[in-house]
Amino acid sequence: MGHSFHRPEDLKGLVAYDPEGERIGGVEQVYVDDSAGRPEWVTVKTGLFGAEESLAPLAGARREGNALHIAHAKSTVKDAPRQDVHQHLTADEERELYRHYGVDGHGTNAPASGPAPDSAGPAEESRTGAPAGGVGREPGRARLRKVGRV
């Protein structure tokens, strides 16, 4: 079961671990949902000597003390598409990240294998950039913005 993070400050000073308990790296930056203002993604220091930052979703994550246990393997985080850590993620960058992690735009895990369903549902957002039913963000408009280092 995941944890709901309400403020970027809730993630300050945490170290990310994968489901097997392997250390991934320190949480550096937080990306929040434009409409709700809740943290949804973090950047984690990865690579040799922590020289890289990889985006990781908070869907399915939980906090235990100073540890942030994310729902994805260290190798998945390290292999995530590299994004410029600019103010807003573009809709294309978001879709690429959602696809990589098998997470839909509602912050829940979507099927990671096989084609996305043809009927409108949670996976529809990751393909079109808009939630099923047309509610929420406009198609093609990014909804995640960086709030800075924590």
Side-chain angles (χ1 to χ4, degrees):
M1 181 191 313
H3 180 85
S4 180
F5 299 95
H6 299 287
R7 304 171 313 148
E9 300 83 34
D10 295 341
L11 299 152
K12 184 176 185 177
L14 299 184
V15 175
Y17 293 87
D18 76 0
E20 301 299 317
E22 190 169 352
R23 185 182 195 280
I24 301 171
V27 173
E28 290 295 311
Q29 299 186 64
V30 177
Y31 283 77
V32 299
D33 178 296
D34 273 343
S35 61
R38 270 192 325 269
E40 286 199 11
W41 291 76
V42 293
T43 63
V44 179
K45 285 282 198 179
T46 59
L48 191 60
F49 305 112
E52 309 258 342
E53 286 184 49
S54 298
L55 277 154
L58 290 172
R62 73 184 192 288
R63 179 180 180 167
E64 291 179 5
N66 287 333
L68 175 66
H69 296 275
I70 65 169
H72 302 278
K74 179 177 182 174
S75 60
T76 302
V77 176
K78 289 179 75 172
D79 293 341
R82 294 283 176 229
Q83 306 297 353
D84 224 359
V85 284
H86 44 75
Q87 193 63 27
H88 254 100
L89 291 181
T90 68
D92 287 341
E93 289 169 334
E94 278 189 46
R95 281 190 293 273
E96 188 177 7
L97 285 164
Y98 285 127
R99 256 191 309 275
H100 175 76
Y101 284 105
V103 176
D104 71 22
H106 300 288
T108 58
N109 289 329
S113 62
D118 288 329
S119 60
E124 184 70 17
E125 179 173 11
S126 64
R127 286 198 329 261
T128 64
V135 178
R137 67 182 165 155
E138 301 166 24
R141 182 177 172 274
R143 68 179 178 93
L144 295 174
R145 67 179 161 83
K146 179 175 73 174
V147 294
R149 299 203 182 273
V150 288

